[in-house]
């Protein structure tokens, strides 16, 4: 399997190895020799654009594009470090800590610049893009792609015509485990409550901004504790309970990490999905790559954030649209591609694990961490996300929950989610830019 991946990445046969000892050079080639890494040219150009006075538009877009390959490299380095450690619990914690590192870095840089609305919009946008755009596209393409013979246990057909088998998945439904998905959706609804209650509190006619800020900071610790409990539940106390249904389908789909499980039947068909592959990088090399990439992401995101206000004024792009629609694309581009690829391979459980798991991580970890970091930076970051934004994310989560209840996916469900995301995008193009007032974030 590793040799096939190396051949696809263009690694010479002489560099391929069957030895279990990681070869850092080969591993780095596998990470760098990827089509999206061509965009790494934007990293130095984005930095140069500011010093050479190319204008805020060039600075914003070049640094925005630079975040896409950097997010991919950071994710790959995290996976390699987890594989080198070889412990499921530590793997889950690493994914929890670095799975959405780009979103956290952009949030911190925006907090330093005092752009609280950008922080809130980008975090909400990350949740929406994962559960609507990513999941919707995965369901749409997965439902229309003809199923492979070896993967038919993950999908069902009510039509055996040759046209179905060769061109498009007519009458096709994909099957996925429900328990893990519903636990993650329940956690997302809990996060909506943490947004809604401070928002309603701050909507009172009296001046309660300081009280709302205090409630938000205390609530942030409570929400983070719930995410810690979520980790313990999935990784320790109820791991076997959650995997019973997944084992029957042949795949385990967690909110933190997705890994295939081999069964006695069809083991050869699942060979390509094995997660027990040895690491391609040594532990310290992977850690160094993570550290270096994090530093570069911090620098590029700082230049991008500094240019946002000028881009809003000069280019006429609404700040809400930048935060909710554009910024999540940079941080989640590779996750989007992975989820769609898994769905087209008739592995919808993995696609849901990526999309819903990432949203859960942002809502329960990155959002409260942003509130706490704002506290230390003396920025009034609170959990009042505004009535409109809270309503949008809550209703979106309810729609997704309804579509996941039966454990089946088809192209119509995907189309509904994509239509909802497009409608929200149009909405935020026309919503006026939020402003920070004495009462906080009012929209």
């Amino acid at each position: 399997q590793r040799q096939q991946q190396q051949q696809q990445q263009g690694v010479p046969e002489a560099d391929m190895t069957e030895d279990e000892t990681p070869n850092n050079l080969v591993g780095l080639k596998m990470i760098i020799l990827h089509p999206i890494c061509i965009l790494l040219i934007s990293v130095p150009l984005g930095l140069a654009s500011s010093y050479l006075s190319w204008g805020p538009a060039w600075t914003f877009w070049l640094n925005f594009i630079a975040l896409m390959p950097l997010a991919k490299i950071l994710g790959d380095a995290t996976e390699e470090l987890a594989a080198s450690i070889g412990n499921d619990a530590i793997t889950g914690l690493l994914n929890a800590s670095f799975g959405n590192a780009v979103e956290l870095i952009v949030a911190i840089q925006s907090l330093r610049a005092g752009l609280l609305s950008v922080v809130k919009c980008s975090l909400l946008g990350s949740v929406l893009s994962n559960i609507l755009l990513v999941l919707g596209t995965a369901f749409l393409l997965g439902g229309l792609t003809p199923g492979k013979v070896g993967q038919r246990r993950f999908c069902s057909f009510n039509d055996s015509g040759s046209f179905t088998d060769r061109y498009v998945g007519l009458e096709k439904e994909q099957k996925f485990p429900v328990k893990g998905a519903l636990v993650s959706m329940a956690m997302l609804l809990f996060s909506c409550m943490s947004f809604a209650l401070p928002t309603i509190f701050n909507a009172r006619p009296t001046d309660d901004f300081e009280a709302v800020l205090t409630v938000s900071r205390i609530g942030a610790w409570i929400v983070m504790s719930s995410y810690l409990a979520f980790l313990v539940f999935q990784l320790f106390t109820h791991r076997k309970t959650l995997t019973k249904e997944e084992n029957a389908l042949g795949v385990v789909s967690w909110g933190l990490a997705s890994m295939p499980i081999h069964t006695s039947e069809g083991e050869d068909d699942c060979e390509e999905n094995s997660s027990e592959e040895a690491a391609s990088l040594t532990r310290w090399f992977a850690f160094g790559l993570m550290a270096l990439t994090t530093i570069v992401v911090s620098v590029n995101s700082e230049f991008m954030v500094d240019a946002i206000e000028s881009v809003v004024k000069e280019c006429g792009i609404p700040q809400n649209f930048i935060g909710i629609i554009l910024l999540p694309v940079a941080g989640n581009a590779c996750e989007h591609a992975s989820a769609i690829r898994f769905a087209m391979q008739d592995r919808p459980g993995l696609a849901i694990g990526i999309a819903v798991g990432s949203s859960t991580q942002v809502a329960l970890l990155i959002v409260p961490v942003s509130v706490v970091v704002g506290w230390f930076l003396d920025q009034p970051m609170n959990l009042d996300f505004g009535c409109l934004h809270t309503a949008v994310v809550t209703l979106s989560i309810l729609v997704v929950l309804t579509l996941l209840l039966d454990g089946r996916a088809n192209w119509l469900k995907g189309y509904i989610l994509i239509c909802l995301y497009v409608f929200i995008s149009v909405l935020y193009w026309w919503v006026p830019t939020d402003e920070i007032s004495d009462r906080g974030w009012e929209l």
Side-chain angles (χ1 to χ4, degrees), residues 221 259 291 346 363 367 372 409:
W221 292 104
M259 62 180 66
D346 287 329
V367 170
V372 174

Side-chain angles (χ1 to χ4, degrees), residues 129-146 148 172 174 258 329 332-356 409 414 417-418 421:
S129 68
N130 276 294
I131 64 174
L132 298 181
L133 181 61
V134 180
L135 194 60
T137 307
F139 281 2
L140 177 64
L141 298 181
L144 294 176
T145 303
K148 297 180 180 179
K172 177 183 178 182
Q174 293 181 311
S258 301
V329 173
N332 298 326
C334 290
E335 287 182 349
H336 297 184
S338 297
I340 294 170
R341 184 177 70 251
F342 288 137
M344 295 180 67
Q345 294 173 351
D346 287 329
R347 298 154 69 188
L350 293 177
I352 294 174
I354 292 174
V356 178
L417 294 178
I418 293 175
Y421 187 77

